Each structure stands twice: as structure tokens, then as C-alpha cells.
């Protein structure tokens, strides 16, 4: 017997679907869950009721006592918002506990949660918060309730605002402290450089103050919390003072947002995006009207936009009276469009017979195009460049557009990108992190160069070390661009005049990245390929494609990728393995795979026991002689079927497990799902390191099971979940990594450029809150 079908529980079914939150309705649900669990669990004298797992589970009956009736009456009063009645029932529960304790029995354990329920019934959030603080003084609180109340204590608008203000102050202090601590600590072994380092750090600190936002991120968050408090409690004593703070902060906020918009407008104007610059400049003026700098940028962007519109309008105009030119143009057009004619002959005849010299450029353009179609790629681009460089030519604009189009003139763009990558690597070797120039301090460029020049000089001294690191340097963006352009050239001109050169370079680039699939396909296109080397590359490409397919998490995509590998690389070992794996996955496919590991079951015995999965205790006792669960544990594989994996006969966890399947009754499966969610929610509330990641497919699967729709299997791939519940020891090992309680780190720093070594404390910045991105 693997899962025990018998267990002693009551008829009360807890609602395990609600996650405790700091709102009144969620607080009510949390208390109801706790009350009903207390009413229904831990009945003594449980006896197994039979081994038949598919026939459902029988549940014992228990006559509710006076505490049960009081708990139900309290829940009813709270749901009806009857505070007076709820208070009376709470007093009754306290009297029941007093009687039990006086008689030497344990209390019901309902008083703390019942008190929180009565507090939540009060229609005053601030009163509830104060009552929660008082409730935290009790020493008999459930850990989950204590964790939630502790969270409530720090979740008020004023508390959150104070936390953000303290964060802002800590950051300001840390900047000043670190400015002096670092140069002093690094100068212990080289005192002669101490004054220089301190002066440079003070200068950098002054620049940070210059760049500091009028209203920092943390103070913007505090402003939002102040507004929230005033909106909730307009008549509170604190609101009058907060309105003055909000008014002053709003001025700084407008200035901050103006600076953000102005900087974005300047960057857009610098990159030639005039319309975007105009939008950002208008936004800056909306925050600070009549701002001189924003107005100047706006006027400049507006002029560029108007000029661009004029050029576009002029380019679409046609001569009002084409005259005799129309017939000549018509003749050239027909020569190009009629497949029965020879365009080259028609153009040559047109040159000899036409009396209009203004169409000479058009015929040169057509001849360049025909050169390209005939395979004379080099000659074509020479003709286009000649037309593009002639400002008097009728076709200069059209030829220039083609020459500058990297998607068409991809070889020239490829050469430029290669040269740029070499240039970037050479600059990196020379100046290291300063390859993009001085840092942006919001100052004139000459002054920024002057400020960073001493540090750049130190970086140049370390050039030999970077030269050693050059072969191991990551791919620079210009190299990636060159690879894209090379691929584009080969796609457009697989047999072009430069195809061999481009293909060899691209193959070397992809081989350096271990992209064997791309290397194989490039080698396959090479007309001078070595068949023996091609076979070796084919094996490597198949192995890589097989590994990529195995990493895919969605079953339908993985199956399709495995079949593709098997079909494309049939004659390779990896292709054959992919085909076998695809067939095996098809044979053992399950609509769901929610895994509950052995570690999770071991750490959460309540869920593994009769109230949840009802697993046989011998499977978790560590004795392989009487059967032991594999570390993979159990899995919910769709419907009401549970997959159980056991250690192999050898007892070795590395050997493939033995798998069996069992089908649970509808009620047992629903209760097991509810208990699983309750356990995971409880763990996440009590232990801050416990994570319950979002998984919509898992949640839908669980919800359908709770309402009795588990047998209606949704076989869509998007409806499948592959979530895993793991124990904390499986995640973090025997000892969890903890952050230091101290607000600073001890840093040991050394430099090969000046042979310095030092140690100094560095105050850490407080972590950003999850909603910080909303205030950037």
C-alpha cells in the first residue's frame, strides 16, 4: 500500500485558496482557514478505513463542542460586520480558554486568530494596525499569523515613507563615508599617493552631488506614500504637515522629471532622431514652462523636423510639363519591364538614338543595375558610387540611397564593421574601460576630459595586461554586426564575388563561439569543402542541436525539435538518440508534471501525512530495505493520477527510479491539492527564503481539481505545468547563505598599475524595493 486511503478528518473543508493580505477581506479568509483547520484536525484515534484508493475516502464524524460553535458564530458575525456580536463571542472564547487552562488542559488556540478577526472587522485601517501591534505582544501567536502581523506593522503609508526617507539618508551618508574610506584604506602601503587619491575621491563626490537628482528615487517613493496617506486619511493630524511636505516635494519632482526629459531630448537630437527630440523637449517644457535650455533644444529639433518635411515633399514632386522626356522615359521603362526584350541592347540603342542628354544618368543607373544582375558585382558598385559622388547627377540621390543601404551593399558595410571591431579592440587594449571616452558628468566635454584624464593615464599603464587578455576578450558589438552583415551578404549573394572571403570569416567567427550548427551549414555551402571535415562538423552540429532540443521546457516544442534533429541528422549518433528520445517522450507524455520532491515531503510531514497526500510513512523513513521514495518524489501527471518514483533495487539514487502510478478519488485529490497550496503559502509566509514562483498553468490545474474538474484533461501544451516543489535543504544545502547584519562590507583592494594594496569598509546601499522601477 503506497498511499493510505484512510484518515481521520472532519466534514469541515478549509478554504485554502486565499493568500493572506493586508486588506480586510483577506484577513477574514485567513482567520476562517485557521479556525476551520483547528476544528477539523488532529482527532485522536485515527484508524485506516481500507486499502481501496480509487473508491474515495471515508471521513469520521465528530460532534462540535462549545468552542467550535463559538468559532463558527464569530466567523458569521465578522462576515456580517457585526462588531458588537463578534466582540461578545471573542470574550466567550477567552472564557473557554481560561476554564481549560484552569482545569489543566491546553487552550483551544483560537483566541489569537479570533482577536485578529475582530480587529479586522473594525472599519478603520489605522485602528486595525494599532490593534495588530498590540496583538504582537502575545507569546502564543501562530508563526504564520505573527509573520503577517509583523508585515502589517511595516506596511502603513507613513511607515513605508519613513523607510524610504531613511534609505535616502543612508545613501547620502554612504556616498560621503565611502569617498574618504576608500582612498585612505588604499593608501596604507603607499602613503605618498594618499593626498592624490583623497583629492580625486573628493572631486568625484562633488561630481556626484552635481549630478544628484533634485528628488531622488527613494524620496519619490516617499512622496507617493505621503499622497496615499493624505488620500486615505484627509482629517488625520499628520495630514496637515504632510500637505506642506508634498507641496515642496512636487516642485522638486517637476524639476527632476524635467531633467529626465531634457536629457532624453539631447540624446535623441545627438543621434539624429529629431521627432523624438521634439517630443521629449515638449515634455520637459510641460514640467518647467519657459525653461531656456529645453526651449532651445525644442526649437532646434522643430527646425530639423520642418526641414525634413520640406525635403520629403520636394522629393515627391514631378515636373509639371515633362514634354518630350515622357516618351523617352516610357521607352526605357518598357525595355526594363518587358521580359521579351534585352534591356542591355535597348539601353545601348537608346544611347545612340536619344537626343536628350538629361537622361544619361538614368541610363548609367540602369546599366549598373544590369551589371549586378549579370554577376558583375564589383563593377555594379563602382557605377553606383560614381553616380552617388556626382552632385549634379539626376540619379545621385537614388544611387546614394543604395550605396548607404547596408541590407543591399552588405559587403561594404561588412568591411566597415570589421574595421570598427578592430578599432574598438585596439582602443580597449590602450585605454581599457575608457574606450568610450570620459564619463558623462553633465559638464562641458573639455572639462569632463580634464577630470578623467589622470585616471585614463593610469589605465594606459595596464595596457600590457589587457594585451594578454585580448584572445579571451568577449565579442564586441561591432563583431556581432559584422557577422549579421556577412550572413546577409551570403543570403543575397551565395555565389558572389566576395562569398568565399565572407564565408571563411563568418565560419571562423562562429567556430570561436562554438556555434557548430552555423559552422556546418557554412561549410556545406562551400564549393571547395573537405568531405571528411564536413562529416566531423555534421556530428558536432547534430550533438549541439540535440542538446538545444533537450533544454526546451515546453513538451510540444521539444518534441518538434527532437524530430527535426532526427530527420536532419539521421546518419549521426545524436540524430538517432534524438529520434529515440522523441519516441520515448511521446510514449510517456503526461498532460501535467507538477513534481513534489522527497525533500519537500520530508520537511512538510503534515502534507505527506493523512491530511494531504496520505503517503505511507515507511517511504520516508530513510530505510531502503522497506521501500524508499526516490529524491524525485511524486508527480501530479494530469487528471487525478499521481506518479510515484522509488529507489531502484540497488538502492543507488543515481540509478533510474522505479515508477508506479496511482489514481486518487476526487475528494482525496481535491483535499490533497488544497493542503499542498496551504503548506506552500504557509512556508512562504513564515520563511522569507521560501519562494512560491508564479505558474499560471499550475494554478489553473489546481483550481480545476478543487472544483471537481480534474478528470477533464486539458491536453494543450500551453496548459501544461512543469513546476517543482522542493525542500529548503534541496535549494540551499545544509547552511543557507545569509547576508551580513552589518551595513558595510570589508573590501580588500589591490592594483597592479601602482602596486598598491589596501583594505577599507564600504557601506552598502539599501536594496531597492520591488516597485522602484515605477519611479524611474
Amino acid at each position: 500500500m503506497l498511499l493510505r486511503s484512510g484518515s481521520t478528518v472532519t466534514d469541515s473543508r478549509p478554504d485554502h485558496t486565499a493568500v493572506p493580505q493586508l486588506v480586510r477581506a483577506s484577513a477574514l479568509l485567513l482567520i476562517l482557514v485557521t479556525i476551520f483547520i483547528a476544528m477539523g484536525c488532529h482527532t485522536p484515534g485515527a484508524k485506516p478505513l481500507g486499502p481501496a484508493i480509487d473508491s474515495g475516502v471515508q471521513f469520521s464524524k465528530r460532534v462540535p463542542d462549545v468552542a467550535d460553535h463559538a468559532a463558527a458564530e464569530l466567523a458569521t458575525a465578522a462576515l456580517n460586520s457585526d462588531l458588537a456580536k463578534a466582540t461578545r463571542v471573542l470574550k466567550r472564547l477567552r472564557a473557554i480558554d481560561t476554564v481549560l487552562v484552569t482545569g489543566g488542559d491546553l487552550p483551544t488556540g483560537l483566541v489569537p486568530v479570533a482577536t485578529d478577526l475582530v480587529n479586522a472587522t473594525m472599519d478603520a485601517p489605522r485602528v486595525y494596525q494599532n490593534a495588530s501591534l498590540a496583538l504582537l505582544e502575545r507569546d502564543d501567536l501562530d508563526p504564520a499569523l505573527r509573520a503577517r502581523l509583523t508585515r502589517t506593522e511595516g506596511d502603513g503609508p507613513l511607515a513605508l515613507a519613513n523607510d524610504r526617507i531613511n534609505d535616502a539618508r543612508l545613501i547620502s551618508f554612504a556616498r560621503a563615508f565611502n569617498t574618504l574610506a576608500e582612498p585612505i584604506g588604499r593608501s596604507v602601503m603607499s602613503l605618498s599617493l594618499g593626498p592624490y587619491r583623497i583629492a580625486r575621491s573628493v572631486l568625484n563626490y562633488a561630481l556626484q552631488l552635481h549630478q544628484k537628482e533634485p528628488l531622488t528615487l527613494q524620496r519619490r517613493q516617499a512622496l507617493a506614500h505621503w499622497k496615499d496617506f493624505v488620500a486615505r486619511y484627509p482629517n488625520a493630524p499628520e495630514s496637515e504637515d504632510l500637505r506642506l511636505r508634498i507641496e515642496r516635494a512636487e516642485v522638486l519632482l517637476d524639476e527632476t522629471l524635467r531633467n529626465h526629459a531634457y536629457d532624453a531630448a539631447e540624446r535623441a537630437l545627438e543621434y539624429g532622431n529629431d521627432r523624438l527630440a521634439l517630443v521629449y523637449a515638449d515634455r520637459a517644457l510641460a514640467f518647467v514652462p519657459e525653461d531656456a535650455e529645453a526651449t532651445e533644444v525644442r526649437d532646434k529639433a522643430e527646425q530639423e523636423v520642418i526641414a525634413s518635411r520640406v525635403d520629403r515633399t520636394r522629393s515627391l514632386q514631378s515636373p509639371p510639363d515633362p514634354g518630350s522626356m515622357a516618351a523617352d522615359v516610357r521607352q526605357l521603362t518598357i525595355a526594363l519591364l518587358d521580359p521579351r526584350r534585352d534591356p542591355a541592347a535597348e539601353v545601348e540603342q537608346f544611347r545612340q538614338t536619344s537626343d536628350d542628354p538629361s537622361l544619361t544618368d538614368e541610363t548609367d543607373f540602369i546599366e549598373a543595375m544590369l551589371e549586378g544582375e549579370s554577376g558583375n558585382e564589383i563593377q555594379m558598385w563602382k557605377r553606383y558610387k560614381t553616380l552617388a559622388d556626382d552632385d549634379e547627377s539626376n540619379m545621385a540621390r537614388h544611387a546614394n540611397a543604395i550605396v548607404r543601404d547596408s541590407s543591399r551593399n552588405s559587403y561594404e558595410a561588412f568591411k566597415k564593421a570589421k574595421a570598427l571591431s578592430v578599432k574598438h579592440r585596439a582602443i580597449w587594449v590602450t585605454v581599457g574601460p575608457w574606450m568610450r571616452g570620459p564619463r558623462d558628468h553633465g559638464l562641458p566635454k573639455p572639462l569632463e576630459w580634464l577630470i578623467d584624464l589622470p585616471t585614463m593615464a593610469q589605465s594606459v599603464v595596464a595596457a600590457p595586461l589587457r594585451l594578454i587578455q585580448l584572445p579571451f576578450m568577449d565579442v564586441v558589438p561591432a563583431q556581432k554586426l559584422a557577422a549579421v552583415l556577412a550572413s546577409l551578404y551570403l543570403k543575397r549573394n551565395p555565389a558572389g564575388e566576395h562569398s568565399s572571403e565572407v564565408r571563411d570569416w563568418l565560419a571562423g567567427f562562429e567556430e570561436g563561439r562554438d556555434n557548430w550548427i552555423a559552422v556546418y551549414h557554412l561549410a556545406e555551402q562551400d564549393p571547395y569543402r573537405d568531405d571528411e571535415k564536413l562529416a566531423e562538423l555534421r556530428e558536432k552540429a547534430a550533438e549541439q542541436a540535440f542538446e538545444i532540443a533537450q533544454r526546451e521546457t515546453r513538451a510540444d516544442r521539444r518534441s518538434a525539435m527532437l524530430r527535426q534533429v532526427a530527420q536532419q541528422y539521421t546518419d549521426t549518433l545524436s540524430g538517432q538518440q534524438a529520434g529515440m528520445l522523441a519516441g520515448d517522450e511521446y510514449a510517456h507524455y503526461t498532460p501535467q508534471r507538477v513534481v513534489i520532491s522527497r525533500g519537500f515531503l520530508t520537511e512538510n510531514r503534515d502534507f505527506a501525512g493523512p491530511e494531504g497526500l496520505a503517503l505511507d510513512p515507511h517511504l520516508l523513513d530513510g530505510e531502503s530495505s522497506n521501500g524508499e521514495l526516490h529524491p524525485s518524489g511524486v508527480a501530479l501527471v494530469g487528471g487525478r493520477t499521481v506518479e510515484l518514483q522509488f529507489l531502484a533495487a540497488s538502492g543507488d539514487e543515481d540509478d533510474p527510479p522505479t515508477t508506479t502510478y496511482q489514481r486518487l478519488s476526487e475528494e482525496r485529490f481535491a483535499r490533497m491539492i488544497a493542503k499542498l497550496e496551504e503548506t506552500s503559502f504557509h512556508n512562504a509566509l513564515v520563511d522569507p527564503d521560501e519562494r512560491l514562483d508564479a505558474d499560471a498553468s499550475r494554478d489553473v490545474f489546481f483550481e480545476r481539481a478543487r472544483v471537481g474538474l480534474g478528470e477533464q484533461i486539458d491536453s494543450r501544451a500551453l496548459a501544461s505545468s512543469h513546476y517543482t516543489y522542493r525542500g529548503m535543504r534541496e535549494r540551499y544545502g545544509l547552511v543557507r547563505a545569509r547576508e551580513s547584519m552589518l551595513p558595510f562590507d570589508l573590501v580588500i583592494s589591490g592594483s597592479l598599475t601602482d602596486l598598491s594594496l589596501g583594505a577599507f569598509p564600504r557601506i552598502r546601499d539599501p536594496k531597492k524595493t520591488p516597485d522602484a522601477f515605477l519611479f524611474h
Side-chain angles (χ1 to χ4, degrees):
M1 179 169 65
L2 304 176
L3 296 181
R4 297 188 301 169
S5 61
S7 59
T8 305
V9 293
T10 65
D11 289 334
S12 301
R13 288 189 67 174
D15 181 2
H16 300 280
T17 62
V19 181
Q21 302 292 340
L22 301 181
V23 293
R24 179 181 168 191
S26 297
L28 294 176
L29 288 176
L30 176 68
I31 305 307
L32 288 176
V33 168
T34 311
I35 291 174
F36 289 149
I37 291 174
M39 292 169 58
C41 297
H42 308 298
T43 304
K47 295 182 180 180
L49 298 177
I53 189 170
D54 289 342
S55 61
V57 180
Q58 301 178 16
F59 302 101
S60 64
K61 302 293 184 179
R62 181 171 69 86
V63 178
D65 58 17
V66 63
D68 296 331
H69 286 296
E73 188 176 353
L74 175 60
T76 304
L79 291 174
N80 291 329
S81 299
D82 191 345
L83 180 59
K85 183 177 180 181
T87 304
R88 292 195 303 270
V89 178
L90 175 59
K91 293 180 179 178
R92 192 189 312 164
L93 280 173
R94 287 173 177 166
I96 293 173
D97 270 6
T98 302
V99 173
L100 290 175
V101 172
T102 303
D105 295 327
L106 293 175
T108 61
L110 295 174
V111 172
V113 291
T115 303
D116 186 50
L117 178 57
V118 173
N119 294 339
T121 310
M122 301 176 184
D123 193 14
R126 298 198 71 190
V127 175
Y128 172 72
Q129 191 170 10
N130 294 332
S132 297
L133 294 178
L135 187 57
L136 281 171
E137 299 297 327
R138 298 179 62 106
D139 57 1
D140 58 346
L141 296 184
D142 177 77
L145 178 60
R146 182 175 294 278
R148 188 177 65 80
L149 294 177
T150 303
R151 189 177 300 175
T152 302
E153 179 183 4
D155 275 358
L158 283 184
L160 292 173
N162 291 335
D163 289 343
R164 301 291 79 76
I165 292 295
N166 291 334
D167 287 348
R169 291 171 178 168
L170 178 59
I171 291 174
S172 298
F173 174 75
R175 295 287 188 272
F177 178 85
N178 295 338
T179 297
L180 295 177
E182 181 173 354
I184 293 174
R186 294 183 60 187
S187 301
V188 173
M189 298 184 63
S190 53
L191 296 177
S192 59
L193 295 176
Y196 164 71
R197 291 196 180 106
I198 293 175
R200 191 179 65 185
S201 294
V202 171
L203 177 60
N204 289 333
Y205 179 66
L207 293 174
Q208 290 178 12
L209 292 180
H210 171 73
Q211 293 178 286
K212 185 179 179 180
E213 297 176 324
L215 195 68
T216 60
L217 170 65
Q218 290 75 19
R219 295 185 183 275
R220 293 198 293 271
Q221 291 178 283
L223 175 60
H225 293 308
W226 288 340
K227 290 181 177 179
D228 183 25
F229 182 87
V230 172
R232 290 187 189 183
Y233 318 110
N235 300 322
E238 300 91 342
S239 296
E240 183 176 355
D241 178 59
L242 287 180
R243 289 189 182 94
L244 296 177
R245 294 189 185 183
I246 290 172
E247 185 177 353
R248 291 193 296 266
E250 288 282 7
V251 176
L252 297 177
L253 178 63
D254 287 342
E255 187 178 351
T256 302
L257 296 178
R258 173 265 173 200
N259 293 345
H260 291 177
Y262 175 75
D263 292 342
E266 276 198 321
R267 287 194 299 269
L269 198 62
E270 181 181 353
Y271 291 126
N273 196 336
D274 305 319
R275 290 182 293 176
L276 184 61
L278 182 60
V279 171
Y280 277 119
D282 282 336
R283 181 177 297 179
L285 289 171
F287 292 117
V288 181
E290 301 182 6
D291 180 78
E293 293 178 329
T295 301
E296 181 182 356
V297 172
R298 187 197 181 283
D299 292 342
K300 188 182 298 184
E302 187 177 29
Q303 292 174 5
E304 295 293 337
V305 170
I306 292 174
S308 177
R309 289 174 179 171
V310 172
D311 291 342
R312 191 180 301 110
T313 302
R314 187 174 67 251
S315 68
L316 296 176
Q317 293 176 350
S318 58
D321 183 17
S324 61
M325 186 186 301
D328 296 333
V329 172
R330 180 175 181 274
Q331 181 180 349
L332 278 176
T333 304
I334 293 175
L336 291 172
L337 297 178
D338 192 346
R340 296 170 297 179
R341 296 191 180 186
D342 182 5
E346 293 285 349
V347 170
E348 183 62 28
Q349 182 180 358
F350 177 81
R351 280 183 179 276
Q352 297 175 1
T353 59
S354 176
D355 298 330
D356 190 350
S358 63
L359 294 178
T360 303
D361 298 332
E362 281 78 354
T363 55
D364 289 343
F365 189 90
I366 294 173
E367 286 182 340
M369 183 173 59
L370 295 176
E371 289 277 8
E373 292 180 356
S374 63
N376 297 326
E377 182 184 343
I378 298 177
Q379 188 65 26
M380 175 190 70
W381 288 113
K382 283 183 179 179
R383 286 178 175 270
Y384 278 143
K385 288 177 183 177
T386 301
L387 289 171
D389 295 338
D390 186 0
D391 295 335
E392 303 297 328
S393 171
N394 297 336
M395 302 301 292
R397 182 166 60 88
H398 302 282
N400 195 41
I402 292 177
V403 169
R404 292 188 176 186
D405 186 0
S406 59
S407 64
R408 301 184 66 177
N409 192 8
S410 50
Y411 178 70
E412 288 296 325
F414 162 71
K415 289 199 303 182
K416 290 179 181 179
K418 268 205 319 179
L420 186 61
S421 69
V422 173
K423 176 182 175 182
H424 285 172
R425 293 165 73 89
I427 294 175
W428 179 80
V429 169
T430 305
V431 295
W434 302 98
M435 60 182 297
R436 292 180 177 84
R439 291 170 293 183
D440 183 12
H441 300 297
L443 299 172
K445 277 295 179 184
L447 188 56
E448 291 180 343
W449 277 99
L450 185 62
I451 292 172
D452 289 336
L453 198 57
T455 310
M456 291 182 185
Q458 288 186 357
S459 182
V460 172
V461 178
L465 295 177
R466 287 191 291 273
L467 188 61
I468 297 175
Q469 299 171 4
L470 185 61
F472 311 102
M473 182 182 176
D474 292 337
V475 176
V476 297
Q479 283 181 290
K480 295 181 180 179
L481 176 60
V484 172
L485 293 169
S487 300
L488 185 60
Y489 175 83
L490 292 174
K491 183 178 180 181
R492 294 178 65 93
N493 308 282
E497 295 176 309
H498 305 288
S499 59
S500 178
E501 172 195 351
V502 173
R503 187 181 296 109
D504 291 343
W505 181 91
L506 185 57
F509 174 79
E510 297 294 357
E511 185 173 350
R513 299 197 305 167
D514 292 333
N515 187 358
W516 298 111
I517 298 176
V519 175
Y520 167 70
H521 288 302
L522 289 169
E524 199 176 26
Q525 298 168 8
D526 190 353
Y528 307 104
R529 58 182 176 268
D530 182 355
D531 291 338
E532 184 176 346
K533 183 178 180 181
L534 185 65
E536 180 183 349
L537 290 175
R538 183 174 175 82
E539 287 286 351
K540 290 184 177 181
E543 182 180 356
Q544 188 175 47
F546 183 41
E547 292 176 356
I548 294 173
Q550 288 178 296
R551 289 198 296 266
E552 176 57 48
T553 56
R554 270 185 52 176
D556 58 334
R557 291 177 180 172
R558 183 173 61 253
S559 177
M561 293 169 68
L562 289 172
R563 290 198 303 270
Q564 182 180 5
V565 174
Q567 294 170 2
Q568 191 170 356
Y569 303 100
T570 309
D571 55 340
T572 65
L573 176 61
S574 297
Q576 296 169 8
Q577 291 176 343
M580 295 170 59
L581 181 58
D584 185 65
E585 287 197 354
Y586 179 79
H588 298 89
Y589 171 75
T590 57
Q592 302 288 339
R593 189 155 192 85
V594 179
V595 177
I596 307 168
S597 71
R598 186 180 68 186
F600 184 89
L601 293 169
T602 303
E603 295 176 12
N604 298 276
R605 295 285 183 168
D606 287 346
F607 169 71
E611 300 301 324
L613 189 59
L615 196 67
D616 192 325
H618 296 298
L619 300 177
L620 298 174
D621 60 2
E623 295 291 338
S624 58
S625 58
N626 58 5
E628 184 70 12
L629 209 60
H630 190 268
S632 301
V634 302
L636 313 180
V637 296
R640 301 199 305 268
T641 303
V642 178
E643 176 189 277
L644 299 101
Q645 296 190 345
F646 303 96
L647 289 178
S650 62
D652 190 350
E653 295 181 353
D654 295 331
D655 290 345
T658 302
T659 303
T660 61
Y661 297 86
Q662 289 195 240
R663 189 169 180 273
L664 304 184
S665 67
E666 182 177 320
E667 187 168 5
R668 164 56 62 189
F669 191 75
R671 292 178 68 87
M672 184 267 293
I673 291 294
K675 185 64 177 179
L676 175 61
E677 288 202 305
E678 179 198 350
T679 302
S680 58
F681 291 152
H682 180 275
N683 292 345
L685 186 62
V686 174
D687 192 337
D689 291 336
E690 178 72 41
R691 298 190 311 272
L692 183 62
D693 299 326
D695 189 322
S697 299
R698 174 203 63 198
D699 296 340
V700 171
F701 172 50
F702 285 179
E703 184 64 27
R704 292 171 63 88
R706 278 195 298 268
V707 298
L709 299 177
E711 285 298 283
Q712 300 181 15
I713 297 176
D714 189 347
S715 58
R716 295 176 302 141
L718 288 175
S720 178
S721 172
H722 289 76
Y723 190 81
T724 300
Y725 289 91
R726 301 172 60 199
M728 298 300 289
R729 180 168 293 186
E730 289 176 305
R731 289 185 179 181
Y732 302 106
L734 292 175
V735 180
R736 303 189 202 177
R738 294 289 188 181
E739 290 187 1
S740 173
M741 297 178 60
L742 300 176
F744 60 86
D745 298 320
L746 184 62
V747 181
I748 299 177
S749 174
S751 174
L752 293 175
T753 58
D754 54 10
L755 300 178
S756 64
L757 178 65
F760 54 90
R762 175 182 292 164
I763 297 179
R764 295 190 303 268
D765 286 347
K767 288 185 178 180
K768 292 183 179 180
T769 57
D771 63 340
F773 73 97
L774 298 173
F775 298 88
H776 280 286

